Amino acid sequence: MSISLPSTGTFTIGDKSVHRLGFGAMSLTGPGVWGPPRDHDEAVRVLRRAVELGVDFIDTADSYGPYVSEEIIREALHPYPEGLLIATKAGFVRTGPGQWHVVGRPAYLRQEVEMSLRRLGVERLDLLQLHRIDPLVPLEDQLGELKALQDEGKIGGVGLSEVSVEELERSRRVVEIVTVQNRYNLTLRLSDDVLRHCEEQGIGFIPYSPIAKGALAAPGSPVEHVAEAVGATPAQVSLAWLLARSPVVMPIPGTSSVAHLEENLGASTVSLTAEQIEALG
């Protein structure tokens, strides 16, 4: 196993510079992102091994579990090592496995920020991302509440998830936006325009589902030929493609297995040629 996270480069969020290959903690929950994981001890081992290998950017949300992911992060890693950035999200209410309901009322967002502070055991959330924009609440009210929490010192940076360029620019008129998290991978590029805009503006772009929920690592994957040529796994090539896409891209592959974690982080040593990147499209 060869891992070299420094080779991925870094991106600065607020007062912390993080490697561009992080860890997404949604998988540290039960089926449907609901309830505890099947193997709690392995979930703890995954987090500790990630940090041991140099991961300094962990992405979670209050709705993962709900609350389970944040609680396991604290159990596994608190007191947190210096330099570790834990990003969380608010704006979804969960009523059962696989059920997600957008709630962006200011009072609710404030409540969830306060609870995430307690669950994670911190005085400030380094990065709080609005999980979804609530169409029933004025955007300016949602982002205005996050700006107020930022002014109070409870939030460091503010990010967005699943937004268009227009929504991003409207949000930036209310509060500085430091990251955008949209679904994006080799076979799903609907957010190409958002990524280009983030690169132009120096905003971090966090592609969730970077291996297309495992599809890019499955037999018959469109990256198999390149993976064979470079001596890597399809998952590693898929992540390396993202890292090569733009200097603002920060993939966050998730897993509940230490072995799979180590495989994903091995993408940090995969170097693709310009011809290989062009062949992947």
Side-chain angles (χ1 to χ4, degrees), residues 26-274:
M26 187 176 75
S27 298
L28 304 182
T29 59
V33 199
W34 184 263
R38 290 188 176 95
D39 190 335
H40 174 273
D41 292 346
E42 180 73 351
V44 170
R45 284 192 290 269
V46 165
L47 287 163
R48 291 177 177 167
R49 183 60 173 153
V51 171
E52 185 178 85
L53 292 172
V55 169
D56 50 15
F57 179 56
I58 295 176
D59 177 87
T60 185
D62 64 348
S63 55
Y64 297 166
Y67 315 137
V68 171
S69 178
E70 289 183 333
E71 291 167 349
I72 292 177
I73 288 171
R74 179 174 183 172
E75 176 188 349
L77 301 176
H78 194 276
Y80 303 113
E82 185 176 355
L84 177 65
L85 191 156
I86 299 173
T88 193
K89 309 179 199 72
F92 264 142
V93 166
R94 307 296 308 286
T95 54
Q99 298 179 31
W100 308 79
H101 309 281
V102 180
V103 177
R105 294 191 300 275
Y108 177 75
L109 295 177
R110 175 172 288 272
Q111 167 190 296
E112 291 308 295
V113 165
E114 296 282 3
M115 294 304 293
S116 287
L117 288 167
R118 290 173 59 180
R119 280 190 295 270
L120 289 168
V122 295
E123 295 183 356
R124 185 192 74 161
L125 302 173
D126 290 328
L127 175 60
L128 188 285
Q129 302 154 95
L130 182 62
H131 214 152
R132 292 293 187 274
I133 293 174
D134 188 340
L136 301 181
V137 178
L139 180 146
E140 290 72 16
D141 291 352
Q142 297 171 69
L143 273 300
E145 189 65 22
L146 298 187
K147 175 66 165 61
L149 287 159
Q150 186 181 59
D151 291 342
E152 294 166 23
K154 295 177 179 178
I155 292 175
V158 175
L160 300 171
S161 182
E162 280 303 329
V163 293
S164 65
V165 172
E166 187 273 336
E167 289 169 330
L168 170 56
E169 284 307 295
R170 279 184 60 199
S171 300
R172 293 179 71 204
R173 289 195 284 271
V174 180
V175 63
E176 180 184 6
I177 301 298
V178 296
T179 60
V180 168
Q181 183 169 157
N182 281 14
R183 188 177 179 190
Y184 187 85
N185 55 56
L186 182 68
T187 56
L188 183 68
R189 309 186 199 177
L190 298 178
S191 290
D192 264 333
D193 60 335
V194 180
L195 171 54
R196 287 193 299 270
H197 192 71
C198 285
E199 185 171 352
E200 292 167 1
Q201 301 300 319
I203 296 169
F205 184 87
I206 306 169
Y208 76 87
S209 194
I211 312 174
K213 296 186 177 179
L216 287 168
S221 164
V223 304
E224 271 189 341
H225 62 294
V226 174
E228 291 175 3
V230 300
T233 68
Q236 290 170 342
V237 170
S238 301
L239 293 167
W241 178 85
L242 283 167
L243 290 167
R245 193 76 174 158
S246 167
V248 303
V249 169
M250 299 184 290
I252 49 166
T255 179
S256 57
S257 156
V258 169
H260 191 201
L261 166 76
E262 293 176 349
E263 177 192 348
N264 288 339
L265 296 183
S268 61
T269 65
V270 176
S271 182
L272 303 178
T273 67

